[in-house]
Amino acid sequence: MRVIIVESPQAVAQCAADLVCQQLRQHPDSVLGLATGSTPVALYQALIQRYRSNQLSLSQTTSFNLDEYVGLPPSHPQSYRHFMEEQLFRHTDIDPGKTHVPDGMSDTEQSASAYEQAISDAGGIDLQILGIGQNGHIGFNEPGSSLSSRTRVKTLTPSTLEANRRFFADDEFQPHLAITMGIGTILDCRQVLLLATGKAKAEAIRRCVEGPLSAACPASSLQLHQHATVLVDADAASGLEHSEYYRWCEEQRQRLGHPSGH
Ligand code: GLP
C-alpha cells in the first residue's frame, strides 16, 4: 500500500488530480471509477480547472460510479447520478453515453449483474477513486460486507444514514438501501486511490491502513490490493502509527525518483 500524507485538503485534491491526469495522459481511453461524498468534490473541481485550461480531456474516458441510492430517480437532486452531473460531468467533455451510475430504480438484482457485465465489457476499471466512511465503509459496503462481494443492494447503517442526513431536507425521504459495487468489484480494479481528509476520518484511516484485515472495516480489504494508494491530509493521518515511515518513503520517491513498492 502506498500512503501519501499531505498537509491540507487542498493538497489532497491537487495530488489526486495529478494522479488522475497522469493516468489519462498515458491512457486517454481509461476506465475511471468515481465516488461521491464531500471528499472528492475538491478533486472534481481541480479536474474541471485542468480541463478548462486545456491540460486534460475526458473525451475518450469511460466512467463507472461506485453506488446509487435505491428508489431515487437520476433526476432527484440527492441521487448520485445528479451529484456527478453537477459536480463533474456537465463541466467537462466526457461523453455522457460513457458515464455509468448503478440503476437503483429497476429490478435491482438484474441491474446489479448488468452493472458488473458493463464493467467487464469495458475492459475493467483502470483507476478507482474512493472515499471512506467514518465506519470504514467504501462505496456503500458497510461493515460485515463480504470481502468478495460484487455489485448488489446493501442496507445502510444508522451511522451512515446519520452522516449523510445533511444532504436531505428535514421532511425529505432518505433511502435506507443503496446499490453498490462490491468489495470484490473494487479489488478487481487495476489501481485504487482512496482519499480522506479531516480528523473525523483518522480512526477509519488507521483501521484501513494499519488495522487487521477484516470485514468489520471494509476499507482494510485494500491491504490485499497490489496497487492501492491512500492519500490523506495531516488530520486524517493523525491516527497512523507509522506515519513517519510513510512520509519518508514519499521523500525517497521524490529525491531518487525511485518508486517505493505498494
Ligand atoms: C457515502 C458514499 C461513500 C463515501 C462516504 C464518505 O457514504 N457512499 O462512497 O466515501 O459517503 O463521504 P464524505 O466524503 O462526505 O465523508
Side-chain angles (χ1 to χ4, degrees), residues 20-33 56-64 94-95 98 100 119 121-127 190:
V20 172
C21 287
Q22 191 184 325
Q23 169 72 31
L24 293 181
R25 253 195 313 273
Q26 284 167 1
H27 305 285
D29 59 349
S30 290
V31 179
L32 290 184
L56 166 75
S57 169
L58 294 166
S59 63
Q60 296 179 57
T61 305
T62 299
S63 74
F64 286 90
I94 198 163
D95 175 351
K98 289 188 183 157
H100 304 82
I119 292 172
D121 291 348
I125 293 172
D126 293 303
L127 172 61
R190 283 183 273 277

Side-chain angles (χ1 to χ4, degrees), residues 36-40 66-67 80 131-133 137 139-140 160 164 166 201:
T36 54
S38 43
T39 310
L66 280 168
D67 47 15
Y80 283 168
I132 186 169
H137 73 216
F140 269 135
T160 296
N164 290 342
R166 67 190 193 280
K201 298 289 172 69

Side-chain angles (χ1 to χ4, degrees), residues 195-206:
L195 313 177
T197 60
K199 273 248 182 291
K201 298 289 172 69
E203 176 60 8
I205 287 297
R206 187 193 66 73

